[in-house]
Structure formats: C-alpha cells, structure tokens
Amino acid sequence: MKTKTLIETIATEMSCTPEQIMGQSRIQNIADARALVQYMLRQSGWALQRIADVFQVNHASVMHNVAKVGQAQQIAAVLAKMTKIRPDTDN
C-alpha cells in the first residue's frame, strides 16, 4: 500500500483528514491516527529517521508513537483473552 493511501485510509477510519495527520495537532483522535500511521510505516520496514523526516519531527517522537501503538495492541490482546474468562458470580 502506498503511503498516501495508508494515510487516507487511516484518516477516514479515525474521522480526520490526511492534512491533520501530517500536521502537529494534539487532539487525541488525530494524534492517535498519526501514531498509527507511524507504527504501520515502521512495521513496513521504514527507518525511524525516515518516518521522522516525513512528519517533520525528531526520531524520538516516532519511537514514542510506535511504542504507544505496540502497547495498545498488547493490551487489546490481553483484554480479548480476558473476555473469554468468566469470573465467578458467587463471592
């Protein structure tokens, strides 16, 4: 998938615009969309500095976003497993 298509797809799913993703907004859904794009680019083999250059930020910001999305995935996986476990209703 091309980078432009990735950004457009995530923008649509996250209710924002590609321009907002590429900007500096700190509104939560926009920042999350930006983090997701950066995570997916990193998973595609892009170097941190290359991603940072595209978003005009430093590589540490990209590292933070990549880690944030990775942690969210781990939490989601644990929650998915936990919903299969039914706690006893008797106390």
Side-chain angles (χ1 to χ4, degrees):
M1 178 181 289
K2 290 188 174 189
T3 305
K4 180 179 178 182
T5 305
L6 173 67
I7 293 169
E8 289 171 348
T9 302
I10 291 174
T12 300
E13 292 297 319
M14 300 290 288
S15 302
C16 59
T17 67
E19 294 78 19
Q20 289 173 317
I21 289 176
M22 295 305 297
Q24 300 298 315
S25 175
R26 293 168 64 182
I27 295 172
Q28 193 65 55
N29 73 306
I30 297 169
D32 290 345
R34 183 179 308 117
L36 183 55
V37 170
Q38 293 175 0
Y39 175 84
M40 293 185 75
L41 291 174
R42 183 69 174 148
Q43 293 303 304
S44 296
W46 283 41
L48 291 172
Q49 190 59 54
R50 181 177 176 197
I51 300 168
D53 291 344
V54 169
F55 285 88
Q56 298 179 349
V57 296
N58 63 48
H59 77 282
S61 296
V62 176
M63 283 176 47
H64 172 77
N65 283 337
V66 169
K68 179 173 76 171
V69 173
Q71 289 171 347
Q73 284 187 324
Q74 289 175 340
I75 291 168
V78 170
L79 286 174
K81 289 178 185 175
M82 295 303 292
T83 58
K84 294 178 183 175
I85 300 171
R86 299 281 182 195
D88 291 335
T89 55
D90 298 332
N91 288 328

